Amino acid sequence: MGDAGAILTLFLQWWGVSRAQVYISYLVKYWPGDEHPEPSAADIRRDAALLEAELEEVRPRLIITLGVPAAKHFMGDPDLDIDLVHGIPHKGINGLTVIPCYHPAAGLHDLQMAQRCWQDLRSACDYIAAPKREKVWAESTKQVTVKRVRLNAPEIINHPTAIDTEGRPGSPHSVQYSWSPDYSLVVSAADAKWLDFRGPVIFHNAKYDVRMLQEMGVKLPPAALWHDTMIRAYCRQDLPHGLKALSYRILRRPMASFDDTVRGIFNPIAVEYLETVAAVTGWSRPDYGLAEDRTTGRMRVYRPNPTNARAKGVLKTFAKKPETKINELWFNIPEAQRIEVEDAMGPFPKFGIEIVPQKLADEYGGLDAARTLEIHNLLVPEPVPAVYRQDVEVVPALVDCEVNGLPFSLERSALRAAEFKAEYESYRDELREIAGDDTFNPASPKQVHAVLFGKWKIKSSRRTKLTGDDSWDKKALAILALQWAGREDPFAQKVQRFVFLLQEHRETVKLFGTYVGPDALPRQVKKGRIHAWIKNTMVVSGRLASEDPNLQNIPSRTKRGKFIRSCFVAPEGSVLLEVDYSQIELRVLADVSDDPALIAAFTGSEDLHRKTEKYIFGIPDNRAGEKRVAAKTFNFRIAYAGPSGSPRGLQEQLFLDGITLSVEACAQYRDQWFAMYPRVAALLRRAGDEARRFGYVATRGGRIRYLPFARLADVPRARAEAERQAGNLKIQGYAQEVIKASMIRWDRWGRRKTNAVAPTKLCMQIHDSLVFEVASTKPKKIAEVARIVLRMMLKGNEHFKVPILAEAKAGADWGNLEKLKL
C-alpha cells in the first residue's frame, strides 16, 4: 500500500502483469510500530500459522518475496545473502518456487535499490510468462585442478589468461593464473618476477591486482589488452558485481568468500592471543583523565579499563556474537594499550591469506582465476559500451594515484588541529551563553532540541524519519536560517545567531574529526604520505570515488578547506601541480544540448557567469563582478535542478552555498535561465522522456543508468528525482568520460614525457582536476611539465562545439597554489 504499493503496481504493469494476477499477503500480520526496525523470529512464528492457511487456500505456483525477512523465511535460510539470490527462481520451503526480490520501499531512498527491485520483478514476470525448469537455480559443479609451480627462468605467456593475486599491498602472497576454466597455476610472490604475460589478460578488479603484480615485478601487456569482469558487470549495471556474486548468479556455482576462508583459521589464533592477554594482570593501567560527556557536555573523570579487562571484554562479546569480527574488536582498544601488549607478546595475529595452509590458499586463489576466466568467456559475446574500454584502460593511472598518494605534513596538521579546536570551542562557548546554560553541548541532539524546539517553541520544517521529531540536520538548519533571516527583533536575532553558530560548530567539528584531528588523517600517514583507495565501480555516473580517506570531499574554495589542503606539503625540492578543467560540466552541457546561446556564452566576448550576473541578477556593466560568485553557483545548481526543479529545493541548495533568495525569486530566475537556454531545457526533458520510455538513460559513451521511477506518476517526488538524475547523467557522465580520456593519455605518453623534464607523479584525481608532484622547484621545468599535462588534458577534445579549457596551479602545498602563466 502507499508509495511502495504504487511502485509495485508500476513495476508489475511494466513487465506485463497486473495486480489482479497476484495474491498479496504479509509475512507479519501485526506490526507494533517504527520502534521495531525489523521482524523478530518470534513475530514470524506468531503469524506463520495464518500465512500457512493462506498458502493452503491460494495454492500459488510461485512465491515472490519482497524484502529480506520474507526471503529468509521462504528460502528457509536465516543467513541468506539477498545480494546473491535476488531476482533468481529458487526452490524454497515445501518445494515452492521462490523468487526473492528487494522491497519496493527501499527504492524510495536509493535509486539503485529501485533499479534492483525493477529488474527482480522483471525476472519474476518473465517466469510467470514462461515457467521453465531450467530457470530455477540449481548448483552446477565443475572441478578445478590447481597446481603450484616453481619458476627460476622467464615464463612467457602469449594466450588469453585470467590472473588473480592474493595478499595485500606491501605484502603480496601469490599469483594465480588460468587459461582453462578447469585448470589454474599458482606462483609464489618470490617467483612471480619471472612471469611475462604478452597476450590478453583478464582480471576481476584489475586495479587491485595490477598494483600487486607491479610490486612482484610481473610483466603485463599494454592496458589495451586488459579485460575486467568486475568493470564489465559495472558497465552493464549488473548489481552486485563481486566475483562470488557473479559466480553464483551467472555460473550457478557458489564460492567461499575470503572472509569465510580465513575466519575459521584466524579466530582460534586470535582467541588464544587474547586469552593470554586476559590472564596477565601486570599491564600498566592508563592514567585517569578528564573527558567531555557527549550527552551532557559536562567534564567527567575518565577511568580507562586495564588491558586484561579489555581483553576479557572482547572475548565476552565474541562469545555472545560469534559472527563479530574479533580483529575489529581488538583495534577498538586504545592504541597505547595495544602497543604495550604487542611489544611484550608480538603483533596481534594478521587476518590474511598468509595464515591459511598453503594447499587451501592455493585452491582458493586458483578457483578465483578459473572462475574469472569462465565468467569472461560467457560475457564476451555480449556487446559492451565504449565506456567499458575506457574504464579498463584508465586503471594504470588509478594505480599511480593509489601507489603514489599525496605527501602530508604531520607538523602542519597538528597546527591546523589546534586552530580548528579553538574555533569550535569558541562557537560552543557563545552557544552556551545564548542558551543560558554553561553545560550546553551543541553536539547533543537532545540538548539542541530542548533549546530550539522546547524552550523557544520553534517549529522545524523537517521531521526525523524514526521518531517524527523536529529535525536539526544540515538542511533543516538551512531552512531555519532562511525563515528567520531579515527579521530585526531581538529574539529573531538571537535565533539567527544561534542557528548560524550551530552550523559553524557542526562544520568545524566535522572537518576536525574527519581530516585534521589526531584520529583522522594523521593516523593514515605512511612514510610521509597518505594513500587513498580509488573506487572505480561505485558511482553509477562513472565518477571516481575516494575512500579511506575520502580526499575528494575536502572543500576546495572555503577557508577551512584550504587550511586542510595546506597540510598536504610537497617534499623538499618538489612542488605540487594541479591542473583542472574550466567549467567542464557546463561546457559539456553546451555541447550535448547544442544550445546556440550557451555555446555563445563560451565562445563570445561575454562569458556565461557574466551573462547570468547581468540578465538574471540584473547587475549592470559598471558593477560587473559584484555577484559573479553567486552567478557561478547559480549556473551549476540550476543546470542540475532542471527546468522542472523545485524552487524551494533550489532555494535551499543555494542557501547552503551562501546565496539567499526567496522561493519566488528562485522560480523566476529558473524560468528566466531556461528561457535564455531553451535547448538545455529540451535536452533535460528528453532525458526524462528517455527514462520513462526505456527505464534507463545513457551517455554518448554508452554508460547506462536505470531510472524506472521516471514513470512513477503516483509518487511525484520519486519521479522528479529520477528525471533530475536522468539529466545529470547526460552532463556528469560525459564530463567524466573527458577526464578519464586524459588519464589514459597520461599512461600512454604523459608519464614518459613529463619524466623526461622532471620526475613527476600522478597523485590524485579530484573530479575535474589532476594533482601531480613534480620533483623540481625550477620555474622553467615546472612550466614545461604543466604544458605537457595541459596538452594531455586538452588533446582529443577538438570535436566539441565549445573550447575545452584547463588551467595549471603550482605551489609548495595544496592549499596555496598559484596560477601558472604559460
Side-chain angles (χ1 to χ4, degrees):
M1 56 187 171
D3 289 349
I7 296 168
L8 178 61
T9 300
L10 169 69
F11 287 176
L12 289 172
Q13 289 176 344
W14 197 314
W15 303 121
V17 173
S18 73
R19 290 270 294 237
Q21 291 177 263
V22 298
Y23 178 85
I24 300 175
S25 187
Y26 295 89
L27 178 65
V28 174
K29 308 297 185 183
Y30 165 75
W31 194 242
D34 288 338
E35 64 270 21
H36 298 277
E38 68 174 48
S40 66
D43 292 328
I44 294 171
R45 284 195 301 270
R46 181 194 64 213
D47 295 337
L50 295 172
L51 185 62
E52 289 298 325
E54 287 179 277
L55 291 172
E56 182 65 27
E57 183 73 21
V58 177
R59 297 185 181 277
R61 58 189 175 94
L62 172 67
I63 299 286
I64 304 171
T65 64
L66 302 178
V68 176
K72 288 181 176 180
H73 176 77
F74 279 97
M75 293 284 285
D77 181 1
D79 300 319
L80 182 78
D81 183 353
I82 198 166
D83 278 350
L84 294 182
V85 303
H86 71 96
I88 301 174
H90 287 77
K91 279 299 177 187
I93 59 173
N94 302 327
L96 293 167
T97 302
V98 179
I99 300 183
C101 298
Y102 285 98
H103 199 287
L108 289 168
H109 310 291
D110 183 344
L111 289 178
Q112 287 194 56
M113 295 298 290
Q115 169 200 328
R116 294 189 192 192
C117 181
W118 182 63
Q119 291 173 320
D120 287 351
L121 286 168
R122 176 182 187 175
S123 174
C125 293
D126 286 347
Y127 187 84
I128 291 170
K132 296 179 181 177
R133 179 180 298 177
E134 59 268 24
K135 290 183 180 181
V136 179
W137 191 93
E139 185 172 345
S140 171
T141 59
K142 177 185 277 289
Q143 295 298 317
V144 176
T145 302
V146 180
K147 180 181 178 182
R148 179 174 277 256
V149 296
R150 296 291 304 273
L151 300 177
N152 53 21
E155 179 81 4
I156 297 173
I157 302 166
N158 290 304
H159 35 69
T161 306
I163 307 175
D164 174 70
T165 62
E166 294 301 331
R168 55 188 174 275
S171 182
H173 181 267
S174 60
V175 179
Q176 296 72 231
Y177 54 100
S178 171
W179 53 77
S180 167
D182 52 11
Y183 191 79
S184 286
L185 298 176
V186 181
V187 174
S188 70
D191 290 348
K193 61 179 180 281
W194 298 111
L195 290 170
D196 185 351
F197 296 96
R198 298 187 180 180
V201 290
I202 303 109
F203 301 100
H204 187 87
N205 192 4
K207 182 175 63 62
Y208 187 88
D209 289 326
V210 168
R211 180 174 175 179
M212 297 279 285
L213 293 167
Q214 287 181 354
E215 285 189 22
M216 291 183 273
V218 175
K219 296 180 179 63
L220 291 171
L225 293 177
W226 298 359
H227 295 275
D228 190 322
T229 52
M230 186 170 82
I231 292 176
R232 190 169 189 125
Y234 165 67
C235 287
R236 70 182 227 169
Q237 287 295 291
D238 185 359
L239 300 170
H241 35 259
L243 179 62
K244 308 308 183 277
L246 292 179
S247 179
Y248 184 95
R249 297 173 66 76
I250 294 177
L251 304 179
R252 301 197 172 193
R253 299 201 185 100
M255 295 175 66
S257 69
F258 179 84
D259 194 85
D260 292 338
T261 303
V262 179
R263 184 68 59 190
I265 297 163
F266 169 81
N267 282 351
I269 300 172
V271 167
E272 183 181 0
Y273 185 97
L274 287 167
E275 286 175 341
T276 305
V277 176
V280 175
T281 57
W283 306 112
S284 60
R285 189 183 183 98
D287 294 334
Y288 288 8
L290 289 176
E292 185 178 30
D293 189 301
R294 292 186 178 181
T295 302
T296 66
R298 296 181 176 88
M299 301 303 291
R300 60 180 178 83
V301 176
Y302 172 61
R303 298 178 175 87
N305 287 325
T307 305
N308 58 315
R310 289 190 182 276
K312 288 177 183 177
V314 170
L315 291 169
K316 186 177 180 180
T317 301
F318 181 66
K320 284 184 177 178
K321 297 181 178 179
E323 72 278 6
T324 306
K325 295 180 179 178
I326 197 168
N327 47 320
E328 294 182 0
L329 294 175
W330 167 252
F331 283 100
N332 285 334
I333 293 175
E335 186 176 15
Q337 291 179 277
R338 286 190 283 109
I339 290 173
E340 182 185 16
V341 170
E342 295 190 356
D343 284 345
M345 293 182 48
F348 187 75
K350 288 186 176 179
F351 185 83
I353 198 71
E354 63 270 17
I355 70 171
V356 178
Q358 180 177 300
K359 186 174 186 298
L360 180 58
D362 288 352
E363 289 175 352
Y364 171 81
L367 188 63
D368 276 4
R371 292 286 187 266
T372 298
L373 180 67
E374 192 172 4
I375 290 168
H376 171 75
N377 290 343
L378 281 175
L379 294 180
V380 157
E382 295 186 7
V384 292
V387 291
Y388 166 71
R389 284 301 335 151
Q390 187 182 67
D391 284 354
V392 172
E393 292 182 34
V394 79
V395 166
L398 304 184
V399 172
D400 278 359
C401 292
E402 289 190 347
V403 171
N404 294 330
L406 276 167
F408 189 84
S409 168
L410 289 171
E411 294 79 8
R412 185 78 63 86
S413 177
L415 290 173
R416 296 293 181 248
E419 292 168 355
F420 271 73
K421 189 174 182 182
E423 186 179 4
Y424 73 68
E425 285 179 347
S426 72
Y427 294 139
R428 181 199 61 194
D429 293 343
E430 189 175 349
L431 282 163
R432 286 177 173 177
E433 185 179 342
I434 296 172
D437 180 357
D438 60 5
T439 65
F440 175 75
N441 179 10
S444 166
K446 185 177 179 181
Q447 292 191 41
V448 172
H449 193 279
V451 173
L452 275 178
F453 312 123
K455 183 179 177 181
W456 292 350
K457 307 297 182 186
I458 293 172
K459 292 293 182 184
S460 174
S461 63
R462 291 167 60 82
R463 296 285 181 270
T464 59
K465 288 180 182 177
L466 288 179
T467 64
D469 292 336
D470 289 289
S471 171
W472 66 288
D473 62 13
K474 185 176 181 179
K475 195 170 184 180
L477 286 181
I479 296 170
L480 275 177
L482 274 174
Q483 290 172 339
W484 289 82
R487 292 172 56 176
E488 298 181 358
D489 59 281
F491 178 69
Q493 290 181 341
K494 182 166 73 169
V495 172
Q496 291 167 28
R497 183 64 181 169
F498 190 83
V499 170
F500 168 77
L501 291 170
L502 276 178
Q503 292 172 308
E504 295 297 298
H505 180 271
R506 172 181 279 171
E507 182 186 4
T508 311
V509 168
K510 180 181 177 182
L511 293 176
F512 175 86
T514 306
Y515 297 112
V516 297
D519 294 327
L521 293 182
R523 295 191 69 172
Q524 296 178 295
V525 176
K526 295 179 181 177
K527 296 182 180 179
R529 307 184 79 86
I530 287 179
H531 304 267
W533 289 97
I534 309 296
K535 295 292 184 179
N536 56 331
T537 58
M538 178 183 287
V539 185
V540 290
S541 68
R543 266 195 168 195
L544 301 174
S546 166
E547 193 175 79
D548 196 25
N550 185 351
L551 300 181
Q552 293 180 326
N553 272 10
I554 302 176
S556 60
R557 294 181 176 87
T558 66
K559 180 181 177 182
R560 294 188 187 111
K562 289 179 179 178
F563 264 33
I564 296 167
R565 289 186 172 212
S566 70
C567 298
F568 293 86
V569 181
E572 188 175 350
S574 300
V575 298
L576 293 180
L577 170 70
E578 183 173 18
V579 183
D580 65 293
Y581 285 107
S582 172
Q583 305 164 1
I584 183 63
E585 293 178 0
L586 289 173
R587 292 174 187 271
V588 161
L589 178 60
D591 185 72
V592 296
S593 68
D594 199 23
D595 188 286
L598 192 56
I599 292 172
F602 287 113
T603 56
S605 57
E606 191 172 62
D607 73 6
L608 173 66
H609 302 318
R610 174 59 194 137
K611 285 185 72 173
T612 299
E613 185 185 41
K614 183 175 182 178
Y615 298 110
I616 301 296
F617 292 139
I619 304 299
D621 290 337
N622 62 346
R623 289 162 50 202
E626 189 174 295
K627 282 200 171 184
R628 183 172 178 82
V629 173
K632 187 174 182 180
T633 300
F634 184 83
N635 284 331
F636 282 100
R637 291 293 187 188
I638 197 73
Y640 279 120
S644 303
S646 161
R648 184 172 295 281
L650 181 60
Q651 178 201 41
E652 293 167 3
Q653 288 296 322
L654 291 171
F655 187 80
L656 292 175
D657 295 327
I659 301 169
T660 302
L661 293 173
S662 67
V663 174
E664 294 74 16
C666 285
Q668 178 187 342
Y669 291 163
R670 178 201 62 190
D671 294 343
Q672 284 181 246
W673 197 91
F674 283 107
M676 287 173 61
Y677 309 113
R679 290 196 184 178
V680 173
L683 168 76
L684 299 178
R685 288 195 178 99
R686 282 199 307 274
D689 292 341
E690 186 180 332
R692 273 188 291 279
R693 183 179 178 187
F694 302 110
Y696 64 87
V697 290
T699 66
R700 284 187 177 178
R703 189 175 307 284
I704 285 176
R705 179 163 193 188
Y706 289 96
L707 294 163
F709 278 8
R711 200 186 280 187
L712 192 59
D714 291 341
V715 189
R717 71 181 188 281
R719 177 174 182 166
E721 177 61 15
E723 291 175 341
R724 189 182 72 82
Q725 292 291 352
N728 286 1
L729 184 76
K730 297 289 186 180
I731 307 168
Q732 195 177 90
Y734 194 18
Q736 280 303 294
E737 291 166 23
V738 172
I739 193 164
K740 283 182 179 177
S742 71
M743 296 176 78
I744 292 171
R745 288 191 285 273
W746 163 258
D747 178 55
R748 289 178 177 170
W749 55 265
R751 185 191 298 109
R752 172 174 46 85
K753 286 185 177 293
T754 54
N755 283 331
V757 178
T760 304
K761 297 176 181 178
L762 175 59
C763 298
M764 196 61 199
Q765 187 248 47
I766 309 291
H767 300 315
D768 57 357
S769 67
L770 299 176
V771 182
F772 300 84
E773 181 185 309
V774 183
S776 177
T777 55
K778 296 180 179 178
K780 286 188 177 180
K781 286 195 172 185
I782 296 168
E784 182 57 28
V785 169
R787 277 191 282 269
I788 293 170
V789 174
L790 282 167
R791 189 161 67 248
M792 175 189 87
M793 293 179 71
L794 299 179
K795 189 175 176 63
N797 298 318
E798 297 80 9
H799 64 281
F800 277 86
K801 302 179 183 72
V802 298
I804 301 299
L805 305 178
E807 66 175 21
K809 296 174 286 186
D813 69 68
W814 193 20
N816 296 284
L817 304 179
E818 295 184 2
K819 187 176 179 180
L820 297 177
K821 296 179 181 179
L822 303 174

